[in-house]
Amino acid sequence: MRRGRPPADSPAGPLTYVLLVVTIALSALPLYWMFVVGSSGEEDVFRLPPVTTPGDELGENVRAVFAADNVFFIASLLNSLFVAIVVTLSVLLFCSLAGFAFAKLRFRGRGPLMLFLIVTMTVPNQLGVVALYIVMGKLGLNGTPAAVILPGLVTAFGVFYMRQFITDAVPDELIEAARVDGATTLRIFRSVVAPTLRPALGVLGLLTFTATWNDFQWPLITLGGSEYPTVQVALSNLASGQYVVFSRLLAGALLATLPLVIVFVIAGRQIVTGIMEGAVKN
Amino acid sequence: MTSQLSASPSAVTSPVTASSAAAPQPPSWRNRLTRWDTAYTPYALIAPFFLIFGAFGLFPLLYNAVVSLRTWRLDDPASDGWAGSANYTAVLGDGRFWNAMLNTVGIFLLSSVPQLVLAMLLAAVLNRRMRWRTGLRMGVLLPYITPIAASTIVFGALFANEFGPINYLLSTAGLDQVDFRAEKWSSWLAIATMVNWRYIGYNALIYLAAMQTVPKALYEAAVLDGAGAWRQLWHITVPSIRPAVVFTVILSTIGGMQLFTEPLLFDPESREATGGSDGQFQTIAMLIYRTGWKELDLGRAAAMSWVLFLIIVVLAAVNGLMTNRLGGGRR
């Protein structure tokens, strides 16, 4: 179109904006429709042409979801919140400690261990679910939140991400100086490294929280029969009942999505930069 | 390097120690502590990661191989003897396995190819000077943060038979309505649509990040040669960001071969994980779930997941290598 100018330099024309607006509309459409149906009465769902504007029965549908006698939705929401917070805090702590060690400390085996860690980033945990279920069974943890939390406590991506950040953010001289002053390694972490970590912790925390909140397969396997599963599993229970009430189902989907949409509206900018930074350095 | 200096704080605070430290003496406890600290603290810092990952990530994966060689039934704890290769012969001789393999590969191709091509175009569009840049980037990422379970239920309703909006659109356009869950092609298409919806924006941001590191001089040279936007994209941008392309190809191979939530919840009878009346959209990950937790045969499910693991490793490697060759050999 704009023959003769490199793309990064050329200002976006009207066509570009139209394309982007259409793309974003398509991105948001399912979410919007979730809201439309979730706030409509059940009879409106089967109307042709389909409903396109929100109704006024959202409160009723939400109340019905909470009152469903086979799915304890509020408890599941709280359970998800608990699991996601514990996992996020643990990932932030352990991954920054390990990231610091790989970024700034010298020790035998550092190279091979880091290589091993990078290789594990490509190993999908989900492929070990059968054995993981057996392990959790031997520990007596299947059906409890611990079964969901334990495998999430650390991520290779988290270590890798923190290592990249610390390598760039903390000058070696600062660490040498602290050592010369007699600070221990832990002290250096607390007083020199930790204060610089805020932006990275924010991004990694958001990504971890989102992924944990949205996880489905492993929670379904280990918590499928439990009374208080995570909210995504509770949602799938709502969807597979004898009589599915669509307006309630989508109100439930809305509830399972809402916390993340709120997080995204507040901190979406950080998530975007986080994904882009994680990608460049790969 | 820190020996004499680490003693100095105590010299300041306590003159008594300072005078006694003047005489040569064996390394102080402080000194030894420092040496211990630099030698062993790094291992303490990385230990939580390796212990937890080892126990709940790596060990299960390897232990899967052991489980796959045993009879291991959930309803009969007594039957846990060695099965030899029986689970593997059963899996490879099972028609459902090959059907699930066909479905998985079919949906993978229908999703990853358009997904990455569209992501590349979207990234090229986003890579211009524009207003509301951050807002637009957040907009394309919206699907990625939506829980898969929730969005799949929404898409399931969108693709519903009589009252589904998509069938309504088809009929207003004068086309036949489609029972999306009934046939292989239509169910694959519906599921691939969900996958594409979710990951196009995410991949576009990865490409965009890589595009911003491409030197402008390359484009300026191309402009002098009279190359338009298309030729710049395919002959400069794509080859320049090859590492990012390889990364996304490997990532989407790993993800695509494990596809689970979308096909599972697309079926109203999702609990059984059959993938439609005739298994028309049952993926391998679903069949593993069904074999292990509905038919209670963990040994056979383990064999299946170990086979899938090996397939993914091979496919990801082959795809990565092929992509690396893309656009004129290595750099």
Side-chain angles (χ1 to χ4, degrees), chain A residues 64-171:
Chain A
V65 169
F66 285 156
D69 50 5
N70 56 337
V71 180
F72 299 94
F73 213 80
I74 295 186
S76 301
L77 276 169
L78 293 175
N79 200 12
S80 271
L81 202 63
F82 172 70
V83 166
I85 288 176
V86 172
V87 164
T88 303
L89 292 178
S90 158
V91 164
L92 292 184
L93 175 68
F94 290 139
C95 293
S96 30
L97 287 175
F100 164 54
F102 279 119
K104 295 293 175 189
L105 304 178
R106 318 257 139 225
F107 53 94
R108 279 171 77 107
R110 185 171 87 146
L113 285 173
M114 191 63 214
L115 184 68
F116 172 78
L117 187 130
I118 289 174
V119 171
T120 62
M121 276 172 68
T122 62
V123 175
N125 279 0
Q126 298 293 7
L127 287 173
V129 283
V130 177
L132 188 60
Y133 186 82
I134 291 172
V135 169
M136 289 299 172
K138 297 217 154 142
L139 296 173
L141 295 177
N142 277 317
T144 72
V148 182
I149 291 173
L150 282 171
L153 288 177
V154 293
T155 60
F157 171 77
V159 179
F160 183 77
Y161 189 79
M162 294 314 284
R163 171 185 167 262
Q164 294 304 101
F165 183 84
I166 294 170
T167 305
D168 296 344
V170 187

Side-chain angles (χ1 to χ4, degrees), chain B residues 250-274:
Chain B
I250 291 176
L251 220 64
S252 74
T253 308
I254 292 171
M257 295 307 287
Q258 293 186 91
L259 198 64
F260 178 77
T261 311
E262 289 94 339
L264 185 89
L265 292 179
F266 188 52
D267 193 346
E269 305 289 327
S270 60
R271 275 288 163 270
E272 292 307 310
T274 52

Side-chain angles (χ1 to χ4, degrees), chain B residues 105-166:
Chain B
V105 172
I107 298 170
F108 161 67
L109 290 176
L110 275 181
S111 53
S112 64
V113 176
Q115 181 192 128
L116 297 181
V117 171
L118 289 173
M120 184 66 76
L121 295 176
L122 181 59
V125 170
L126 280 168
N127 192 26
R128 294 181 183 278
R129 281 196 293 126
M130 62 174 69
R131 287 158 175 279
W132 313 300
R133 222 176 45 184
T134 311
L136 293 170
R137 286 178 189 174
M138 278 170 64
V140 301
L141 201 59
L142 201 54
Y144 181 71
I145 61 130
T146 309
I148 305 187
S151 64
T152 302
I153 286 169
V154 174
F155 272 102
L158 282 170
F159 282 111
N161 274 351
E162 277 170 66
F163 299 96
I166 291 175

Side-chain angles (χ1 to χ4, degrees), chain B residues 115-116 119 123 199-208 248 251-252:
Chain B
Q115 181 192 128
L116 297 181
Y199 292 109
I200 287 174
Y202 173 79
N203 285 306
L205 287 188
I206 291 179
Y207 291 154
L208 178 61
T248 57
L251 220 64
S252 74

